[in-house]
CSV table of all heavy atoms in Angstrom, one decimal:
chain,number,residue,atom,x,y,z
A,164,ARG,N,46.0,123.7,-46.8
A,164,ARG,CA,45.6,125.1,-47.2
A,164,ARG,C,44.7,125.5,-46.0
A,164,ARG,O,44.6,126.7,-45.6
A,164,ARG,CB,45.0,125.1,-48.5
A,164,ARG,CG,44.5,126.4,-48.9
A,164,ARG,CD,45.7,127.4,-49.1
A,164,ARG,NE,46.6,127.2,-50.2
A,164,ARG,CZ,47.7,128.0,-50.4
A,164,ARG,NH1,48.1,129.0,-49.6
A,164,ARG,NH2,48.4,127.7,-51.5
A,165,SER,N,43.7,124.6,-45.5
A,165,SER,CA,42.8,125.0,-44.4
A,165,SER,C,43.6,125.4,-43.2
A,165,SER,O,43.3,126.4,-42.6
A,165,SER,CB,42.0,123.8,-44.0
A,165,SER,OG,41.2,123.3,-45.2
A,166,CYS,N,44.7,124.7,-42.9
A,166,CYS,CA,45.6,125.0,-41.8
A,166,CYS,C,46.1,126.4,-41.9
A,166,CYS,O,46.0,127.2,-41.0
A,166,CYS,CB,46.7,124.0,-41.6
A,166,CYS,SG,48.0,124.4,-40.6
A,167,GLU,N,46.7,126.7,-43.1
A,167,GLU,CA,47.3,128.0,-43.4
A,167,GLU,C,46.2,129.1,-43.1
A,167,GLU,O,46.5,130.2,-42.5
A,167,GLU,CB,47.8,128.1,-44.8
A,167,GLU,CG,48.5,129.4,-45.1
A,167,GLU,CD,48.2,130.0,-46.4
A,167,GLU,OE1,47.1,129.8,-46.9
A,167,GLU,OE2,49.0,130.8,-46.8
A,168,ARG,N,45.0,128.9,-43.7
A,168,ARG,CA,44.0,130.0,-43.7
A,168,ARG,C,43.4,130.1,-42.3
A,168,ARG,O,43.0,131.2,-41.8
A,168,ARG,CB,43.0,129.7,-44.8
A,168,ARG,CG,43.7,130.0,-46.1
A,168,ARG,CD,42.7,130.0,-47.3
A,168,ARG,NE,43.2,130.9,-48.4
A,168,ARG,CZ,42.6,131.1,-49.5
A,168,ARG,NH1,41.3,130.8,-49.6
A,168,ARG,NH2,43.2,131.8,-50.4
A,169,LEU,N,43.2,129.0,-41.6
A,169,LEU,CA,42.6,129.1,-40.1
A,169,LEU,C,43.6,129.9,-39.3
A,169,LEU,O,43.2,130.6,-38.5
A,169,LEU,CB,42.5,127.6,-39.6
A,169,LEU,CG,41.2,126.9,-40.2
A,169,LEU,CD1,41.4,125.4,-40.0
A,169,LEU,CD2,39.9,127.4,-39.6
A,170,GLY,N,44.9,129.8,-39.6
A,170,GLY,CA,45.9,130.6,-38.8
A,170,GLY,C,45.7,132.0,-39.0
A,170,GLY,O,45.7,132.9,-38.1
A,171,LEU,N,45.5,132.4,-40.3
A,171,LEU,CA,45.2,133.8,-40.8
A,171,LEU,C,43.9,134.3,-40.1
A,171,LEU,O,43.9,135.4,-39.6
A,171,LEU,CB,45.2,133.9,-42.3
A,171,LEU,CG,46.5,133.8,-43.0
A,171,LEU,CD1,46.2,133.8,-44.5
A,171,LEU,CD2,47.6,134.8,-42.6
A,172,LEU,N,43.0,133.5,-40.1
A,172,LEU,CA,41.6,133.9,-39.5
A,172,LEU,C,41.7,134.1,-38.1
A,172,LEU,O,41.1,135.0,-37.6
A,172,LEU,CB,40.6,132.8,-39.8
A,172,LEU,CG,39.9,132.7,-41.1
A,172,LEU,CD1,38.9,131.6,-41.1
A,172,LEU,CD2,39.2,134.0,-41.4
A,173,GLU,N,42.4,133.2,-37.4
A,173,GLU,CA,42.5,133.3,-36.0
A,173,GLU,C,43.2,134.6,-35.6
A,173,GLU,O,42.7,135.4,-34.6
A,173,GLU,CB,43.4,132.1,-35.4
A,173,GLU,CG,43.5,132.0,-33.9
A,173,GLU,CD,44.8,132.4,-33.4
A,173,GLU,OE1,45.8,132.2,-34.1
A,173,GLU,OE2,44.9,132.9,-32.3
A,174,ARG,N,44.2,135.0,-36.3
A,174,ARG,CA,45.0,136.2,-36.1
A,174,ARG,C,44.1,137.5,-36.4
A,174,ARG,O,44.1,138.5,-35.7
A,174,ARG,CB,46.3,136.3,-36.7
A,174,ARG,CG,47.2,135.3,-36.0
A,174,ARG,CD,48.7,135.3,-36.6
A,174,ARG,NE,48.8,134.6,-37.9
A,174,ARG,CZ,48.9,133.3,-38.0
A,174,ARG,NH1,48.8,132.6,-36.8
A,174,ARG,NH2,49.1,132.7,-39.1
A,175,ALA,N,43.3,137.4,-37.5
A,175,ALA,CA,42.5,138.6,-37.9
A,175,ALA,C,41.2,138.7,-36.9
A,175,ALA,O,40.8,139.8,-36.6
A,175,ALA,CB,42.0,138.4,-39.3
A,176,TRP,N,40.7,137.5,-36.6
A,176,TRP,CA,39.5,137.5,-35.7
A,176,TRP,C,39.8,138.1,-34.3
A,176,TRP,O,39.0,138.8,-33.7
A,176,TRP,CB,38.9,136.1,-35.5
A,176,TRP,CG,37.5,136.0,-35.1
A,176,TRP,CD1,36.9,136.7,-34.1
A,176,TRP,CD2,36.5,135.3,-35.8
A,176,TRP,NE1,35.6,136.4,-34.1
A,176,TRP,CE2,35.2,135.6,-35.2
A,176,TRP,CE3,36.5,134.5,-37.1
A,176,TRP,CZ2,34.0,135.0,-35.6
A,176,TRP,CZ3,35.3,134.0,-37.4
A,176,TRP,CH2,34.1,134.2,-36.7
A,177,ALA,N,41.1,137.8,-33.9
A,177,ALA,CA,41.4,138.4,-32.6
A,177,ALA,C,41.4,139.9,-32.4
A,177,ALA,O,41.2,140.4,-31.3
A,177,ALA,CB,42.9,137.9,-32.2
A,178,VAL,N,41.6,140.6,-33.6
A,178,VAL,CA,41.5,142.0,-33.5
A,178,VAL,C,40.1,142.6,-34.0
A,178,VAL,O,40.0,143.9,-34.2
A,178,VAL,CB,42.7,142.7,-34.3
A,178,VAL,CG1,44.0,142.3,-33.7
A,178,VAL,CG2,42.7,142.3,-35.8
A,179,GLN,N,39.2,141.8,-34.2
A,179,GLN,CA,37.9,142.3,-34.5
A,179,GLN,C,37.2,143.1,-33.3
A,179,GLN,O,37.6,142.7,-32.2
A,179,GLN,CB,36.9,141.1,-34.8
A,179,GLN,CG,37.2,140.3,-36.2
A,179,GLN,CD,36.8,141.1,-37.4
A,179,GLN,OE1,35.7,141.4,-37.6
A,179,GLN,NE2,37.8,141.4,-38.2
A,180,PRO,N,36.4,144.0,-33.6
A,180,PRO,CA,35.8,144.8,-32.5
A,180,PRO,C,35.0,143.8,-31.5
A,180,PRO,O,35.1,144.0,-30.2
A,180,PRO,CB,34.8,145.7,-33.1
A,180,PRO,CG,35.1,145.7,-34.6
A,180,PRO,CD,35.9,144.5,-34.9
A,181,ALA,N,34.4,142.7,-32.0
A,181,ALA,CA,33.6,141.9,-31.1
A,181,ALA,C,34.0,140.5,-31.4
A,181,ALA,O,33.3,139.7,-32.1
A,181,ALA,CB,32.1,142.0,-31.3
A,182,PRO,N,35.2,140.0,-30.9
A,182,PRO,CA,35.7,138.7,-31.4
A,182,PRO,C,35.0,137.5,-30.8
A,182,PRO,O,35.3,136.3,-31.1
A,182,PRO,CB,37.2,138.7,-30.9
A,182,PRO,CG,37.2,139.7,-29.8
A,182,PRO,CD,36.1,140.7,-30.1
A,183,GLY,N,34.1,137.7,-29.9
A,183,GLY,CA,33.4,136.6,-29.2
A,183,GLY,C,34.2,136.1,-28.1
A,183,GLY,O,35.2,136.6,-27.6
A,184,PRO,N,33.7,134.9,-27.6
A,184,PRO,CA,34.3,134.3,-26.4
A,184,PRO,C,35.8,133.9,-26.6
A,184,PRO,O,36.1,133.5,-27.8
A,184,PRO,CB,33.4,133.1,-26.0
A,184,PRO,CG,32.7,132.7,-27.3
A,184,PRO,CD,32.6,134.1,-28.0
A,185,LYS,N,36.6,134.1,-25.6
A,185,LYS,CA,38.0,133.7,-25.7
A,185,LYS,C,38.1,132.3,-26.2
A,185,LYS,O,39.1,131.9,-26.9
A,185,LYS,CB,38.7,133.8,-24.3
A,185,LYS,CG,39.2,135.1,-24.0
A,185,LYS,CD,40.7,135.2,-24.1
A,185,LYS,CE,41.3,136.6,-23.8
A,185,LYS,NZ,40.8,137.7,-24.6
A,186,SER,N,37.3,131.4,-25.8
A,186,SER,CA,37.3,130.0,-26.1
A,186,SER,C,37.2,129.8,-27.7
A,186,SER,O,37.7,128.9,-28.3
A,186,SER,CB,36.2,129.2,-25.5
A,186,SER,OG,35.0,129.7,-25.9
A,187,TRP,N,36.6,130.7,-28.4
A,187,TRP,CA,36.5,130.6,-29.8
A,187,TRP,C,37.8,130.8,-30.5
A,187,TRP,O,38.1,130.0,-31.4
A,187,TRP,CB,35.5,131.7,-30.3
A,187,TRP,CG,35.5,131.9,-31.8
A,187,TRP,CD1,35.9,132.9,-32.5
A,187,TRP,CD2,35.1,130.9,-32.7
A,187,TRP,NE1,35.7,132.7,-33.9
A,187,TRP,CE2,35.3,131.4,-34.1
A,187,TRP,CE3,34.6,129.6,-32.6
A,187,TRP,CZ2,35.0,130.7,-35.2
A,187,TRP,CZ3,34.3,128.9,-33.8
A,187,TRP,CH2,34.5,129.5,-35.1
A,188,LEU,N,38.6,131.7,-30.0
A,188,LEU,CA,39.9,131.9,-30.6
A,188,LEU,C,40.8,130.7,-30.3
A,188,LEU,O,41.6,130.3,-31.2
A,188,LEU,CB,40.7,133.2,-30.1
A,188,LEU,CG,39.9,134.5,-30.6
A,188,LEU,CD1,40.7,135.7,-30.0
A,188,LEU,CD2,40.0,134.6,-32.1
A,189,ALA,N,40.7,130.2,-29.2
A,189,ALA,CA,41.4,129.0,-28.9
A,189,ALA,C,41.1,127.8,-29.7
A,189,ALA,O,41.8,127.0,-30.2
A,189,ALA,CB,41.3,128.6,-27.4
A,190,PHE,N,39.8,127.7,-30.0
A,190,PHE,CA,39.2,126.7,-30.9
A,190,PHE,C,39.8,126.8,-32.3
A,190,PHE,O,40.3,125.8,-32.9
A,190,PHE,CB,37.7,126.8,-31.0
A,190,PHE,CG,37.1,125.8,-31.9
A,190,PHE,CD1,37.4,124.4,-31.8
A,190,PHE,CD2,36.1,126.2,-32.7
A,190,PHE,CE1,36.9,123.6,-32.7
A,190,PHE,CE2,35.5,125.2,-33.7
A,190,PHE,CZ,35.8,123.9,-33.6
A,191,LEU,N,39.9,128.1,-32.9
A,191,LEU,CA,40.5,128.3,-34.2
A,191,LEU,C,42.0,127.8,-34.2
A,191,LEU,O,42.4,127.2,-35.2
A,191,LEU,CB,40.5,129.7,-34.6
A,191,LEU,CG,39.1,130.2,-35.1
A,191,LEU,CD1,39.1,131.7,-35.4
A,191,LEU,CD2,38.6,129.5,-36.3
A,192,LEU,N,42.7,128.1,-33.2
A,192,LEU,CA,44.1,127.7,-33.0
A,192,LEU,C,44.2,126.2,-33.0
A,192,LEU,O,45.0,125.6,-33.6
A,192,LEU,CB,44.7,128.3,-31.8
A,192,LEU,CG,46.2,128.2,-31.6
A,192,LEU,CD1,46.8,129.0,-32.7
A,192,LEU,CD2,46.6,128.8,-30.3
A,193,GLU,N,43.3,125.5,-32.2
A,193,GLU,CA,43.2,124.1,-32.2
A,193,GLU,C,43.0,123.6,-33.6
A,193,GLU,O,43.6,122.5,-33.9
A,193,GLU,CB,42.2,123.7,-31.2
A,193,GLU,CG,42.0,122.2,-31.0
A,193,GLU,CD,40.9,121.8,-30.2
A,193,GLU,OE1,40.4,122.6,-29.3
A,193,GLU,OE2,40.3,120.7,-30.5
A,194,LEU,N,42.0,124.1,-34.2
A,194,LEU,CA,41.7,123.6,-35.6
A,194,LEU,C,42.9,123.7,-36.5
A,194,LEU,O,43.2,122.8,-37.2
A,194,LEU,CB,40.6,124.5,-36.3
A,194,LEU,CG,39.2,124.3,-35.8
A,194,LEU,CD1,38.2,125.2,-36.6
A,194,LEU,CD2,38.8,122.8,-36.0
A,195,GLU,N,43.6,124.8,-36.4
A,195,GLU,CA,44.8,125.1,-37.3
A,195,GLU,C,45.8,123.9,-37.0
A,195,GLU,O,46.4,123.3,-38.0
A,195,GLU,CB,45.4,126.4,-36.9
A,195,GLU,CG,46.7,126.8,-37.7
A,195,GLU,CD,47.4,128.0,-37.1
A,195,GLU,OE1,46.9,128.5,-36.2
A,195,GLU,OE2,48.5,128.3,-37.7
A,196,HIS,N,46.1,123.6,-35.8
A,196,HIS,CA,47.1,122.5,-35.5
A,196,HIS,C,46.6,121.2,-36.0
A,196,HIS,O,47.3,120.4,-36.5
A,196,HIS,CB,47.4,122.6,-34.0
A,196,HIS,CG,48.3,123.7,-33.7
A,196,HIS,ND1,49.6,123.6,-33.2
A,196,HIS,CD2,48.1,125.1,-33.7
A,196,HIS,CE1,50.1,124.8,-33.0
A,196,HIS,NE2,49.3,125.7,-33.3
A,197,CYS,N,45.3,120.9,-35.7
A,197,CYS,CA,44.7,119.7,-36.0
A,197,CYS,C,44.7,119.4,-37.5
A,197,CYS,O,45.1,118.3,-38.0
A,197,CYS,CB,43.1,119.8,-35.5
A,197,CYS,SG,42.7,118.2,-34.7
A,198,GLU,N,44.3,120.4,-38.3
A,198,GLU,CA,44.3,120.2,-39.7
A,198,GLU,C,45.7,120.0,-40.3
A,198,GLU,O,45.9,119.2,-41.3
A,198,GLU,CB,43.6,121.4,-40.5
A,198,GLU,CG,42.3,121.8,-40.0
A,198,GLU,CD,41.2,120.7,-39.7
A,198,GLU,OE1,41.5,119.6,-39.9
A,198,GLU,OE2,40.1,121.1,-39.2
A,199,ALA,N,46.7,120.6,-39.6
A,199,ALA,CA,48.1,120.3,-40.0
A,199,ALA,C,48.4,118.7,-39.8
A,199,ALA,O,49.0,118.2,-40.7
A,199,ALA,CB,49.1,121.1,-39.2
Side-chain angles (χ1 to χ4, degrees):
R164 184 60 77 181
S165 301
C166 165
E167 185 226 22
R168 290 192 159 186
L169 285 162
L171 291 175
L172 277 180
E173 187 254 328
R174 289 185 278 287
W176 204 306
V178 296
Q179 291 286 300
K185 275 259 180 294
S186 59
W187 169 245
L188 291 176
F190 177 48
L191 282 178
L192 191 64
E193 182 190 328
L194 283 182
E195 179 192 359
H196 285 247
C197 223
E198 312 312 357

